[in-house]
C-alpha cells in the first residue's frame, strides 16, 4: 500500500514539475519577443484601421495590408486578388496615402505585372523614402 502512495506522490511531483517548466518556457519565449522589438529602434508600424482594412475596387480585393517604417523608408505590402471568374488585366494600381486632414501625402504605384487569373492572389510591395507611419488612410485606384 505504501508503494502505491509513493508512486502517486512521485507521479504528482513529476507532473507538477512539468507544468512549472512549461510555464517558465512560455515566459522566456514571450520575453525574447519583447527584446527583439527593443533591438529595432526607429521601427514603426501603422495600425490605423483605415490604412490596414480590406478594400474591394471592381473585381480586385486588397487584403493583408501592412505599412511599416524603418531606416528612413516606408514599405507598404498588400495582397491583390482577382475575385472574378475571368482572367483580368491589371498591370498596376495607384495607392493614395492620406494624412489626418485628408491631404494626400504621396501616391505610390503597385506593380502587378500583366494578368491575374480567376481567384489568383499576388503580393505587392511599394516603397517610399519617408515616414508614413502616421498616415490616416489609403485608397486604391485601378490604372486601366
Amino acid at each position: 500500500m505504501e508503494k502505491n502512495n509513493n508512486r502517486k506522490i512521485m507521479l504528482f511531483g513529476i507532473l507538477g514539475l512539468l507544468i512549472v517548466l512549461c510555464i517558465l518556457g512560455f515566459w522566456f519565449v514571450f520575453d525574447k519577443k519583447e527584446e527583439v522589438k527593443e533591438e529595432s529602434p526607429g521601427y514603426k508600424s501603422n495600425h490605423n484601421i483605415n490604412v490596414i482594412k480590406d478594400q474591394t475596387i471592381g473585381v480586385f480585393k486588397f487584403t493583408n495590408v501592412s505599412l511599416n517604417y524603418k531606416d528612413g523608408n516606408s514599405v507598404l505590402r498588400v495582397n491583390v486578388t482577382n475575385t472574378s471568374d475571368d482572367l483580368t488585366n491589371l498591370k498596376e494600381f495607384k495607392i493614395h496615402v492620406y494624412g489626418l486632414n485628408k491631404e494626400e501625402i504621396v501616391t505610390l504605384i503597385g506593380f502587378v505585372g500583366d494578368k491575374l487569373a480567376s481567384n489568383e492572389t499576388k503580393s505587392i510591395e511599394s516603397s517610399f523614402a519617408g515616414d508614413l507611419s502616421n498616415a490616416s488612410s489609403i485608397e486604391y485606384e485601378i490604372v486601366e
Side-chain angles (χ1 to χ4, degrees):
M1 183 80 114
E2 193 173 308
K3 264 186 170 177
N4 284 339
N5 283 339
N6 285 341
R7 284 185 182 176
K8 287 180 183 178
I9 291 171
M10 189 186 246
L11 181 64
F12 284 119
I14 292 172
L15 184 62
L17 182 62
L18 287 175
I19 291 172
V20 169
L21 288 175
C22 286
I23 291 170
L24 287 174
F26 281 116
W27 182 67
F28 283 120
V29 167
F30 288 114
D31 191 41
K32 288 188 178 195
K33 286 184 180 180
E34 292 294 323
E35 289 175 17
V36 170
K37 289 179 183 178
E38 291 174 10
E39 290 177 354
S40 302
Y43 179 85
K44 298 186 239 178
S45 287
N46 188 318
H47 298 288
N48 190 310
I49 190 67
N50 291 318
V51 170
I52 62 172
K53 69 180 179 181
D54 293 351
Q55 296 183 42
T56 301
I57 309 295
V59 297
F60 301 105
K61 186 168 185 174
F62 299 86
T63 59
N64 298 327
V65 181
S66 68
L67 180 55
N68 301 306
Y69 171 78
K70 184 173 182 182
D71 297 331
N73 291 305
S74 293
V75 177
L76 182 129
R77 291 178 182 87
V78 62
N79 289 343
V80 182
T81 304
N82 173 8
T83 61
S84 75
D85 293 330
D86 301 317
L87 182 71
T88 57
N89 291 323
L90 180 63
K91 291 184 181 181
E92 64 185 32
F93 57 94
K94 293 182 181 180
I95 307 161
H96 300 280
V97 182
Y98 297 99
L100 289 174
N101 297 321
K102 197 64 174 164
E103 78 282 2
E104 187 168 4
I105 300 170
V106 67
T107 300
L108 304 172
I109 299 296
F111 182 74
V112 177
D114 190 19
K115 298 179 183 199
L116 281 173
S118 175
N119 296 311
E120 180 181 6
T121 299
K122 287 196 177 180
S123 295
I124 308 301
E125 187 173 290
S126 188
S127 301
F128 173 69
D131 187 356
L132 297 176
S133 63
N134 292 320
S136 63
S137 65
I138 60 173
E139 294 177 4
Y140 302 98
E141 177 187 349
I142 305 301
V143 177
E144 305 271 338

